[in-house]
Amino acid sequence: MVKRAREFRGTPAPVRDAATVVLLRPSGDSFQLYVLKRATTMVFGGLYAFPGGGVDPSDRPETIRKDWSALLGVPDERARAVVGAAARELFEEAGVLLAGPIEQPDRTVSDVSTDEWEAERAALAARELTLTELLRRHDLRLRDDLLFPWARWITPEFEPRRFDTWFFVSLLPEGQTARDVSGESDGTQWSGPAAAYGLAMLPPTRSTVDSLRPYKKIAEVVAASSRRNAATPVQPRVEFTEDGGALLHIP
């Protein structure tokens, strides 16, 4: 990172919208979060991250919540695309679907690890099917009310690939199981925030884990999400010191 910052000249790369989801499940009196280890063949290989990725042009599902624009700090259509990407990536990379029957708004689908659902997930990942089409096919609606905005990070200007990434927290729906189905990881695990903090991570991921450490229960995390600012982005920068060193500043 420091090397790229020192060598950077010219115009910053364009920024692409992205979303990532911190999936939570109860564990005794506390909770755990789901992390995956990026495959060594990928960018940032070997580092731990949450399910997520870039926004796709097809990410335009109908949402339950009507305040996403204000919560995420962008116009409505763009905000819905970010929310759609969060739900799609969670299904693609962890096999967890945030959806429920249209006529039963308080329910979520249970087991989505069957062969039929796995075929749907694979088609979605291959862009042969959009999330909107998948939901319509099964008479489902997106349960975006189970996504809680947590933070927003923009990649530093000196990086060759840059993202405007929204971090969400979400609860593992009852009856579903997170699975290593992405093909982009060398393994996954459930960890408490304290244990996860010791894993190798990029600054935004580590900062997100650190922000969850004060909470003991999932209900506390959900309550705290209403006080979080996911509209104003955090953009790290590198400052070079007189002695030739470098400091990473995270506002």
Side-chain angles (χ1 to χ4, degrees):
M1 183 184 294
V2 172
K3 183 176 184 293
R4 289 192 294 271
R6 288 190 191 280
E7 296 175 349
F8 175 72
R9 301 289 186 279
T11 304
V15 179
R16 180 185 177 189
D17 285 350
T20 190
V21 181
V22 188
L23 189 64
L24 307 179
R25 74 173 185 184
S27 177
D29 293 332
S30 187
F31 63 90
Q32 294 177 318
L33 48 89
Y34 183 78
V35 292
L36 52 86
K37 187 178 183 181
R38 292 295 183 192
T40 54
T41 55
M42 297 182 62
V43 177
F44 305 127
L47 298 181
Y48 286 84
F50 306 117
V55 170
D56 188 83
S58 67
D59 289 325
R60 296 292 189 278
E62 291 298 321
T63 56
I64 296 175
R65 299 189 62 157
K66 304 302 181 183
D67 56 351
W68 282 121
S69 178
L71 291 172
L72 304 186
V74 292
D76 180 67
E77 185 174 355
R78 186 178 170 192
R80 286 195 299 111
V82 171
V83 172
R88 175 182 54 77
E89 289 284 347
L90 186 61
F91 188 39
E92 287 183 13
E93 295 200 336
V96 172
L97 183 61
L98 300 179
I102 294 176
E103 291 81 10
Q104 298 171 288
D106 295 331
R107 278 193 55 204
T108 55
V109 290
S110 52
D111 184 12
V112 290
S113 63
T114 63
D115 290 343
E116 179 187 2
W117 276 112
E118 179 56 24
E120 298 283 64
R121 189 201 64 78
L124 185 67
R127 300 298 181 268
E128 299 169 355
L129 182 69
T130 68
L131 180 60
T132 298
E133 291 168 343
L134 182 149
L135 296 174
R136 186 180 298 123
R137 178 182 296 182
H138 295 275
D139 294 323
L140 299 174
R141 67 187 302 180
L142 181 65
R143 286 296 307 273
D144 59 296
D145 56 324
L146 301 179
L147 280 170
F148 303 96
W150 195 257
R152 178 184 179 185
W153 290 72
I154 294 182
T155 311
E157 292 186 350
F158 54 80
E159 293 287 2
R161 299 177 65 205
R162 303 182 64 222
F163 295 93
D164 189 347
T165 304
W166 282 264
F167 284 71
F168 299 86
V169 294
S170 186
L171 283 60
L172 179 67
E174 185 176 355
Q176 294 193 38
T177 304
R179 300 171 289 124
D180 185 9
V181 292
S182 70
E184 300 178 350
S185 70
D186 286 337
T188 64
Q189 66 186 69
W190 287 96
S191 298
Y197 188 74
L199 301 174
M201 297 173 169
L202 290 173
T205 311
R206 184 178 299 282
S207 178
T208 300
V209 172
D210 189 39
S211 69
L212 292 168
R213 292 169 71 186
Y215 306 106
K216 302 302 180 185
K217 299 181 181 298
I218 288 179
E220 295 176 2
V221 176
V222 173
S225 68
S226 65
R227 303 187 296 272
R228 300 283 302 183
N229 182 358
T232 303
V234 175
Q235 185 169 349
R237 63 182 178 85
V238 171
E239 177 186 335
F240 299 110
T241 58
E242 294 181 356
D243 61 359
L247 297 172
L248 176 65
H249 285 277
I250 300 178

